[in-house]
Amino acid sequence: MPSFKDFAPVPVRPALWPVGRRPAAPVSTMALADGSGRDLALALAIAEEQLYGTLRENELLRASNQALMTALSDVSRQNSEAYHLAHHDALTGLPNRLMLLRRLQDGIADAFVRQQQLALMFIDLDGFKVVNDRYGHTTGDKLLGVVARRIVGCVRSDDVACRYGGDEFVVMLSNLHDGSLAVGLADEIRRQVEGRYCIDGIELTISASIGMALYPVDGEHHDTLLEVADASMYRNKSARAARQALAVGKAAATAEPEPKRRSRVRSLRAGA
């Protein structure tokens, strides 16, 4: 018959709990010296090892998920930045030609469904080349930035103002019941653009020639509207120089295009 000494405790390796995760009550086992006691101690030690491994794997999984979410967020941000750069003018921050064409196509489709009108304005700055030649491109770039802000300040939140290139801007006015609002906005844009400027202490004055096309009166396709608005702008530029009455739409685009404007029309069609 075994004596009391045969039941002396057998040392068991401490539980391998992660830092900060040890249970409030420590796990302890009185293992007996016979075979069944050693098996129990070994089983508990293995269970603790497995539990620690599971906890460690969970921590690693959470860290991996966090790293993955961070990487996906970075990719999404980079994609958004790349999209913005591809569709906006770096100098003025306005939508560029590519964005305008997309918005114009969507605007025409929406106007067709709503049975409304849409106006497209071509704005050309008169005298801007003189500013560039006399004061340099840095001053000219700053002037373009101020002009862009003045144009945006004239249009509504759902309209689109873009820098088409060089000293040219295009404005798309949507949700129009008639063309009178567009004519009024064109006059306001001209007054704002033709105001005085102070760039780096230099007093500057420029003027603007604006041409307009109306959907569906002047055309039902985006390249037709761009062409009519461009022709209208050149016609009105000549009329302002000759102090003639200004015309809108096809009435201003009946003259034979000049060689310079022919190349611009081809560029518009290519861009569309």
Side-chain angles (χ1 to χ4, degrees), residues 16-87:
L16 300 178
W17 291 90
V19 177
R21 303 296 293 273
R22 180 181 294 277
V27 177
S28 61
T29 303
M30 180 66 74
L32 300 179
D34 63 0
S36 62
R38 286 192 294 270
D39 291 343
L40 177 60
L42 179 61
L44 288 174
I46 293 175
E48 290 179 353
E49 288 283 2
Q50 292 175 341
L51 179 59
Y52 171 75
T54 301
L55 294 174
R56 179 59 179 166
E57 289 176 359
N58 289 340
E59 291 292 338
L60 293 175
L61 182 59
R62 280 193 290 269
S64 298
N65 288 341
Q66 183 61 39
L68 179 60
M69 294 300 297
T70 302
L72 291 176
S73 177
D74 291 341
V75 171
S76 177
R77 176 180 53 79
Q78 292 171 1
N79 288 340
S80 298
E81 292 175 354
Y83 181 88
H84 182 85
L85 291 174
H87 294 83

Side-chain angles (χ1 to χ4, degrees), residues 93-105:
L94 295 181
N96 59 14
R97 180 183 304 195
L98 179 60
M99 174 63 81
L100 169 71
L101 293 176
R102 293 186 177 182
R103 293 292 299 274
L104 182 55
Q105 290 171 345

Side-chain angles (χ1 to χ4, degrees), residues 22-182:
R22 180 181 294 277
V27 177
S28 61
T29 303
M30 180 66 74
L32 300 179
D34 63 0
S36 62
R38 286 192 294 270
D39 291 343
L40 177 60
L42 179 61
L44 288 174
I46 293 175
E48 290 179 353
E49 288 283 2
Q50 292 175 341
L51 179 59
Y52 171 75
T54 301
L55 294 174
R56 179 59 179 166
E57 289 176 359
N58 289 340
E59 291 292 338
L60 293 175
L61 182 59
R62 280 193 290 269
S64 298
N65 288 341
Q66 183 61 39
L68 179 60
M69 294 300 297
T70 302
L72 291 176
S73 177
D74 291 341
V75 171
S76 177
R77 176 180 53 79
Q78 292 171 1
N79 288 340
S80 298
E81 292 175 354
Y83 181 88
H84 182 85
L85 291 174
H87 294 83
H88 290 79
D89 175 55
L91 178 62
T92 63
L94 295 181
N96 59 14
R97 180 183 304 195
L98 179 60
M99 174 63 81
L100 169 71
L101 293 176
R102 293 186 177 182
R103 293 292 299 274
L104 182 55
Q105 290 171 345
D106 293 341
I108 291 174
D110 185 65
F112 174 80
V113 172
R114 296 173 180 268
Q115 293 297 295
Q116 294 180 336
Q117 290 187 345
L118 177 147
L120 194 68
M121 298 183 196
F122 235 108
I123 306 169
D124 184 75
L125 304 183
D126 302 323
F128 179 77
K129 185 177 183 302
V130 175
V131 174
N132 259 349
D133 294 343
R134 182 175 299 176
Y135 301 107
H137 291 281
T138 300
T139 300
D141 289 347
K142 292 181 179 180
L143 176 60
L144 288 175
V146 178
V147 170
R149 290 193 291 272
R150 291 189 181 185
I151 293 175
V152 171
C154 295
V155 300
R156 303 164 301 173
S157 60
D158 56 346
D159 297 327
V160 180
C162 92
R163 184 187 178 203
Y164 205 73
D167 59 352
E168 297 172 336
F169 296 84
V170 174
V171 173
M172 185 190 79
L173 307 175
S174 56
N175 300 323
L176 299 177
H177 297 288
D178 57 66
S180 59
L181 175 61

